[in-house]
Amino acid sequence: MPAQRSSAPSAAPAALPTLGGKKSSYRERVADALRAALIAGELRAGEVYSAPTLAARFGVSATPVREAMLDLAKEGLVDTVPNKGFRVTAVSEKQLDEYTHIRSLIEIPTTVRLATTADPVSLEALRPAAREIVTAAAAGDLIAYVEADIRFHLGLLALAGNAHLVEVVGDLRKRSRLYGLNALVEAGRLQDSAEEHLELLDALLDRDGEAVRRVMTRHLGHVRGLWAAGSSMA
């Protein structure tokens, strides 16, 4: 029987996240924070950012930031600009459509299957991350929102027992740009979107595969809408 359920600033230096509950090195944690800021749209495509500027923003020293940005450059998320810093790479509408298509092919059926295969205790263990997403949305903390969102979804997919699948989806998420998050915060709509994570978790615990499919399809549609908003504002 499933465990009992319950519901649940850019100006300040951002906390360094630990994605997926893993123990990370300091450099990896800095890279995670930078990725989250990039995905959330707080680091804009085409803009050049210096390591010292980013270090001050995140309340860390410049060296781990510089090293982390080099890691992001290897992933194709930023380009090195000699003597200036790093430029955030842009993504095209075609790329965004392709990302959404691949994610839908992977995430929807995998998550639906979890409605019948996942251990309820393991599913319930994801509730704190789902609540963190809602809390971050209410606070307008976009970096925390993205970090918790990645942790929730990759943690959920990990229950399928396919590490390569998780790696592929993780890479697609790294390459996303959710510039529309700011607009949702201003419109007071981000929290509604965040609540979908709790809705999804409840559907999984109810073993309702069709409800899981509906929520996941709607959720990925929202993500693509955010990407499109980013492209139109770029």
Side-chain angles (χ1 to χ4, degrees):
M1 184 174 181
Q4 185 177 4
R5 305 173 197 167
S6 60
S7 60
S10 302
L16 298 180
T18 302
L19 301 187
K22 66 183 180 180
K23 292 183 178 180
S24 306
S25 69
Y26 191 69
R27 172 175 173 168
E28 289 172 331
R29 291 176 62 204
V30 171
D32 286 341
L34 291 169
R35 284 191 196 93
L38 187 151
I39 294 168
E42 296 201 358
L43 300 181
R44 304 287 299 191
E47 294 290 324
V48 176
Y49 298 91
S50 69
T53 297
L54 292 172
R57 179 173 184 164
F58 286 90
V60 298
S61 63
T63 297
V65 169
R66 189 173 293 106
E67 293 173 343
M69 291 299 276
L70 289 173
D71 290 339
L72 268 59
K74 293 177 183 177
E75 297 171 10
L77 304 182
V78 299
D79 294 320
T80 303
V81 181
N83 302 317
K84 291 186 178 181
F86 302 87
R87 179 183 290 109
V88 177
T89 57
V91 289
S92 68
E93 285 289 319
K94 183 174 185 294
Q95 287 174 308
L96 296 176
D97 286 335
E98 290 171 349
Y99 294 164
T100 305
H101 181 60
I102 296 170
R103 284 186 57 187
S104 67
L105 291 175
I106 297 174
E107 293 189 64
I108 294 175
T110 300
T111 307
V112 169
R113 282 195 296 273
L114 289 174
T116 57
T117 62
D119 172 36
V121 174
S122 298
L123 288 170
E124 193 62 46
L126 293 169
R127 192 171 295 278
R131 290 199 192 105
E132 286 180 41
I133 297 169
V134 175
T135 300
D141 188 337
L142 302 186
I143 294 177
Y145 178 95
V146 169
E147 186 274 327
D149 180 73
I150 292 174
R151 180 152 40 87
F152 174 86
H153 283 286
L154 296 189
L156 180 60
L157 292 173
L159 298 182
N162 187 329
H164 293 293
L165 180 151
V166 176
E167 183 179 355
V168 169
V169 174
D171 182 68
L172 291 170
R173 283 177 166 271
K174 288 176 186 177
R175 297 175 184 280
S176 65
R177 303 287 192 276
L178 301 180
Y179 294 128
L181 287 178
N182 275 308
L184 286 183
V185 171
E186 292 171 4
R189 292 170 47 212
L190 184 59
Q191 193 164 0
D192 290 338
S193 179
E195 293 282 353
E196 289 180 339
H197 298 84
L198 291 168
E199 183 183 354
L200 174 62
L201 198 54
D202 288 343
L204 285 163
L205 286 163
D206 287 338
R207 302 304 194 188
D208 190 339
E210 283 309 307
V212 170
R213 187 183 303 278
R214 287 196 300 272
V215 176
M216 278 299 299
T217 300
R218 185 193 336 138
H219 190 62
L220 286 178
H222 289 167
V223 168
R224 180 60 184 96
L226 289 170
W227 287 350
S231 296
S232 66
M233 289 186 291

